Amino acid sequence: MKAAPPQGETPISRRGDGLPSHAHAAAPSTTATTQEAAHRPAALRRAEELAAALARHDIPTDVHELASGRAAISIYYGLIAYTDGQEIHWTSPKPSRRGRPAPATETTTAAAAERLVHDYRILRARPLTDVLGCELPLLADVLMADHVVPR
């Protein structure tokens, strides 16, 4: 079991509902939550907004603050969105003209959520073996690319 972070520190990984990932963390007061949100990086705030929008469609997510300053929103196998606080990017499972997954970008959380709900449904309808065998990114790949410097 993970230990809770020291008082005043924000855990790096957060569930889509905005609560800390470890199970026994106490819920902060509304005032503390508002103050904490104001001090979070823009990318993390935007990622949490997207996670909340997807949760309204019953889509579970995990939000991860990356070393690069961006944030990743893990939605489903092969469906990971990224934000720098301004734009939201992901690889859509809808094929491009060449038949490969295509990059997607939105500037608003609502538009990104709408498109991601559609992409999520596409992936959920496929057998998982097909999803894992295609060219879509997986969370482990993203975390390794952002945190590990190749030699």
Side-chain angles (χ1 to χ4, degrees):
M1 173 157 66
K2 293 182 182 177
Q7 185 79 14
E9 285 189 23
T10 304
I12 291 179
S13 179
R14 299 177 83 67
R15 295 190 323 219
D17 56 9
L19 297 174
S21 291
H22 29 289
H24 301 304
S29 70
T30 304
T31 305
T33 303
T34 304
Q35 290 172 349
E36 180 182 310
H39 295 294
R40 277 195 214 119
L44 187 57
R45 287 194 312 267
R46 189 77 182 272
E48 289 172 344
E49 289 171 8
L50 179 59
L54 292 169
R56 289 190 285 277
H57 293 276
D58 296 322
I59 298 175
T61 61
D62 287 312
V63 172
H64 303 273
E65 187 174 6
L66 302 175
S68 63
R70 297 184 314 156
I73 306 93
S74 176
I75 303 160
Y76 191 69
Y77 298 101
L79 189 55
I80 301 166
Y82 309 87
T83 182
D84 57 5
Q86 299 296 314
E87 295 180 321
I88 299 168
H89 306 273
W90 69 97
T91 302
S92 175
K94 290 187 287 186
S96 68
R97 287 184 227 149
R98 295 181 178 165
R100 302 177 82 168
T105 301
E106 285 293 345
T107 56
T108 69
T109 302
E114 183 178 316
R115 289 179 64 190
L116 284 162
V117 166
H118 183 70
D119 287 349
Y120 173 80
R121 290 182 179 147
I122 289 171
L123 288 173
R124 289 289 306 224
R126 291 182 184 172
L128 192 53
T129 53
D130 289 351
V131 173
L132 294 174
C134 67
E135 299 175 28
L136 295 168
L138 297 176
L139 182 59
D141 300 328
V142 171
L143 296 176
M144 289 295 291
D146 200 72
H147 294 304
V148 176
V149 178
R151 293 181 183 230

